[in-house]
Amino acid sequence: MLSSFPLLLSLLPAATAQSWTSLPGSLFGSSEAWGSCASASWPQSNVGQPLQPQTPDAELQAMLAEVDPQRIQNIVTTLTDFGTRHTLSNQTDPVRGIGAARDWIYKEMQTFAGSNGTSNGTSNGTSNGGLTVEIQSYIQPVAERISFPVKISNIVARINGTSDPNRTYVVTGHYDSRRIDIMDYTGDAPGSDDDATGVAVVMEMARICAKMSPAATMIFAAVAGEEQDLYGSNFLAQTLKNASVNVEGNWNNDIVGTGSSQPFSPINNYTIRLFGASALYPLLDTDDELETLGEIGGENDSPARNLGRYIAEIVAGASQYINMQVALIYRADRFLRGGDHESFLAAGFPAVRFTEAIEDFTHQHQDPRVQNGTQYGDLLEFVDFEYTARVARVNLASMWSAANAPAMPLNVTISTLVGFPAASESTPLYEISNDSQFNWMTGNDPLVAGYELVWRPSGALQWTHSLAVGNVGTATVNLSKDDVQFGIRAVGANGKKSPAVFPQPD
């Protein structure tokens, strides 16, 4: 495979914005409709229509065009140059260690906010769009992978929503790094890909959004302590939960620097993996809930997976402006591994993880060295800044769309009367049809113009069909609940749609 690598790389110039969608492995290369699969043609129905991904408006197109690979390169380079960003490393040295990285990120974020404030964790900058920046810290006592009490600091930039400020969307990347020995906090740990690239995504999104005014609140957070045990993200997620903030999604970016790892295929440079947890993770509270979930086949319709479907759909609709595809993977994270999104999942919030198409373990969690002719280490030279820029556009398009769509519907249920066998001789005919009836709460959300029912065959990854049902709180359709998975989502007057909500038995 190594001998063919140069040949494969030579194919990349042909993978332009116009041609990458036809590469082997592209989700857009076939003549099939978006989200189609072999089982999507059954059951046959004339209800609704094949789902068409929502497309970006002129405002979002302009925002996507602002993503700058050179700025991303500058961020990753600067973070790499701090030598190590280990959570236990020096916090007072101005040029080396996690403290220097923390202070630099904070000051950069403040420039986005248009402030001359200092990096003391108390002075907040504010932009015309309402961006504020702060350092949120706590002292982590001795614990697993923490050998002495240490200050854990998150740099948190926020734009409060103009219409629904308590509804919040959070994008994260961790700025700490590590070596092979997780407790070695003095040796070089450049962490260019893991996870300076994720921080670069967060910072570039903050810069672009700083002058904007989203309907819901957006948080851009560089968190620490990930490698030691998700300490910073857990502090952030629990802080939001304790404040009763309605977090409708966490976009976590961790190792998003290259699509050209071995074994290489040209489509990898245009693919980002998205990991979405099932409804079984974290485990449900009671055995009764678990039994019901298994009975109705809802394990693949968790809030996290529906957030993943939403992101994949947004990116599909904006593919010509993003030049990337999202590979939705039914796992909480990579096999038996974890990340900061799991802190949000544990707090009860929908959360997903982005990671490059194929990881290169010679350049991850490695001490920088040349051994037997192989270069090891998470070094700057192995980061593709154009790729990371495309990942930033994936995040920006989907999170901005969610923040300007209506909130997700509440109390979505499916009737346990309609579409079931008769309970008695007097059972009405409409109840013993194969119809499915849904109900949900309508409120005072000024962004809502109506609601949409979406569905897919139970074996399909993505929603395949949709039906606009109007600005109502109930809908009955001639579709059997036995054969397909359903969701209800809100639709705004601007055409932006919320992630879908899986209906629970009433």
Side-chain angles (χ1 to χ4, degrees), residues 30-94:
S30 72
S31 60
E32 298 292 333
W34 163 250
S36 63
C37 70
S39 60
S41 60
W42 187 92
Q44 288 292 317
S45 172
N46 60 2
V47 178
Q49 59 188 4
L51 187 144
Q52 297 294 321
Q54 50 191 302
T55 55
D57 56 21
E59 178 183 64
L60 179 52
Q61 292 175 30
M63 294 171 70
L64 294 172
E66 286 191 57
V67 175
D68 186 351
Q70 185 59 54
R71 285 182 175 270
I72 286 173
Q73 179 174 350
N74 292 343
I75 294 168
V76 176
T77 301
T78 301
L79 291 174
T80 300
D81 287 346
F82 289 118
T84 179
R85 304 186 307 277
H86 193 286
T87 296
L88 301 177
S89 64
N90 194 298
Q91 297 208 14
T92 59
D93 189 318

Side-chain angles (χ1 to χ4, degrees), residues 472-490:
V472 296
T474 186
T476 302
V477 295
N478 184 218
L479 290 168
S480 172
K481 63 184 70 61
D482 298 340
D483 304 326
V484 297
Q485 307 294 101
F486 291 107
I488 299 289
R489 61 186 185 185

Side-chain angles (χ1 to χ4, degrees), residues 138-168:
Y138 79 102
I139 301 299
Q140 172 60 47
V142 174
E144 183 181 4
R145 297 184 174 182
I146 301 291
S147 54
F148 53 82
V150 65
K151 180 187 285 186
I152 305 286
S153 298
N154 299 327
I155 303 93
V156 181
R158 176 194 305 261
I159 306 175
N160 285 330
T162 58
S163 174
D164 190 358
N166 193 52
R167 175 162 56 99
T168 299

Side-chain angles (χ1 to χ4, degrees), residues 74-75 78-79 82 100-108 203:
N74 292 343
I75 294 168
T78 301
L79 291 174
F82 289 118
R102 172 200 63 212
D103 294 348
W104 180 81
I105 295 169
Y106 178 64
K107 290 176 181 177
E108 283 295 299
M203 294 177 69

